């Protein structure tokens, strides 16, 4: 994702990307890139490859293995498809037309790319919210989980996530296109695009929901662990369960906030400042948010042993040698 703030570009954005040079008042890719530029794009290519491969493994696993056809995994599949599209669409375009290029050259391509960027980023966050709701019922209301989180409910959640994301992305594109011929109202349009749209509905509101739900899950998990301790007197088992719950929730929320918070804080306050912003700072924040799409498969799938078993079968090519759709994948224990 990237901010659509180009107000007073000479004052807001400073420095030119190391991979670009000026040519008749336009910015083009330099013919003699520096070592830093080459290393930067090598790193971004690797990030793109890991993002595509990781999410592709999750997608194939859930679609192929029937044992993984559950409501929870359907939400994980939606998240993986979203992050896969980020790797396929947003990553390459962001490397070819980097943020600095789009800040200085605002063509239609950059505006449409921003729509895909914002839509897929929002969809990824909303999918995380849906997964948290699923986990809430699984942990906090296990007796009613199967009746409340059905395949029909999951489909509705997925459709709403994708639909709302597309609506926000389309609205941002329309706002940007309409602002071209209304320079005197540009600040208002930027404020609407940066604060009201992506920041509130794409970040702050979902973050509040995620924090509240995971806090509730954590408290319930601790209460259940203490209840088990009073019943079984197995302090070692309870301690392991509490550490597992704490570690999992810390990783989920920590990585999410680490990747997304700096960018959204930046674009929230950007319209209100006239201080120059170096292009490398903007690019770093932009790619930090995109890197969350690479980390999601590790957080929501790689930690579970049945996914690891599926990945091994896919990578080794066993699924091409025989029909393993009904294979019995290893199920983890409660503490796993």
């Amino acid at each position: 994702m990237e901010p659509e703030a180009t107000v007073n570009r000479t004052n807001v954005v400073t420095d030119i990307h190391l991979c670009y040079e000026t040519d008749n008042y336009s910015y083009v890719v330099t013919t003699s890139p520096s070592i830093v530029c080459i290393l930067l794009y090598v790193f971004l290519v690797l990030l793109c490859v890991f993002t595509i491969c990781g999410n592709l493994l999750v997608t194939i696993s859930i679609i192929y293995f029937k044992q993984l056809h559950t409501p929870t995994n359907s939400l994980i599949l939606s998240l993986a498809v979203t992050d896969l599209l980020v790797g396929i669409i947003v990553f390459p375009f962001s490397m070819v037309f980097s943020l600095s290029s789009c800040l200085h050259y605002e063509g239609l391509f950059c505006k449409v790319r921003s729509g895909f960027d914002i839509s897929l980023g929002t969809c990824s966050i909303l999918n995380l919210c849906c997964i948290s709701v699923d986990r809430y019922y699984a942990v906090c209301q296990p007796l009613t989980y199967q009746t409340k989180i059905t395949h029909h409910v999951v489909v509705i959640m997925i459709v709403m996530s994708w639909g709302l994301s597309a609506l926000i992305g389309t609205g941002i594109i329309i706002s940007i296109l309409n602002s071209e011929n209304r320079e005197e109202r540009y600040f208002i349009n930027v404020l609407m695009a940066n604060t009201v749209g992506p920041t509130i509905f794409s970040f702050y509101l979902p973050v509040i929901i995620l924090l509240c739900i995971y806090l509730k899950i954590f408290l319930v998990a601790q209460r259940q662990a203490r209840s088990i301790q009073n019943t079984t007197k197995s302090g070692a088992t309870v301690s392991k369960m509490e550490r597992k719950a704490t570690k999992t929730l810390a990783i989920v929320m920590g990585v999410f906030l680490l990747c997304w918070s700096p960018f959204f804080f930046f674009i929230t306050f950007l319209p209100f400042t006239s201080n120059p912003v170096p292009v490398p700072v903007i690019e770093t924040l932009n790619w930090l948010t995109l890197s969350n799409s690479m980390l999601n498969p590790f957080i929501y799938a790689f930690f579970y042993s049945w996914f690891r078993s599926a990945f091994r079968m896919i990578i080794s090519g066993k699924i091409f040698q025989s029909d393993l759709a009904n294979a019995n994948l290893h199920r983890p224990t409660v503490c796993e």
Side-chain angles (χ1 to χ4, degrees), residues 267-298:
I267 66 173
T268 298
F269 296 104
L270 181 61
F272 304 101
T273 180
S274 59
N275 296 326
V277 180
V279 167
V281 173
I282 302 177
E283 288 203 23
T284 300
L285 296 178
N286 180 59
W287 281 102
L288 185 60
T289 61
L290 294 178
S291 66
N292 189 237
S293 295
M294 184 269 292
L295 296 173
N296 280 336
F298 293 93

Side-chain angles (χ1 to χ4, degrees), residues 233-250:
K233 305 299 181 180
S234 179
T237 302
V238 173
S239 177
K240 182 178 180 179
M241 292 178 64
E242 289 185 348
R243 288 198 304 269
K244 180 66 175 180
T246 303
K247 181 180 178 180
T248 302
L249 295 181

Side-chain angles (χ1 to χ4, degrees), residues 57-90:
L57 280 174
V58 176
T59 302
I60 295 175
S61 298
I62 297 176
I63 293 176
Y64 181 81
F65 295 100
K66 294 182 179 180
Q67 186 177 339
L68 299 180
H69 293 178
T70 64
T72 302
N73 289 335
S74 296
L75 294 173
I76 295 179
L77 174 62
S78 178
L79 175 64
V81 171
T82 305
D83 293 331
L84 179 61
L85 291 177
V86 171
I88 294 176
I89 298 176
V90 179

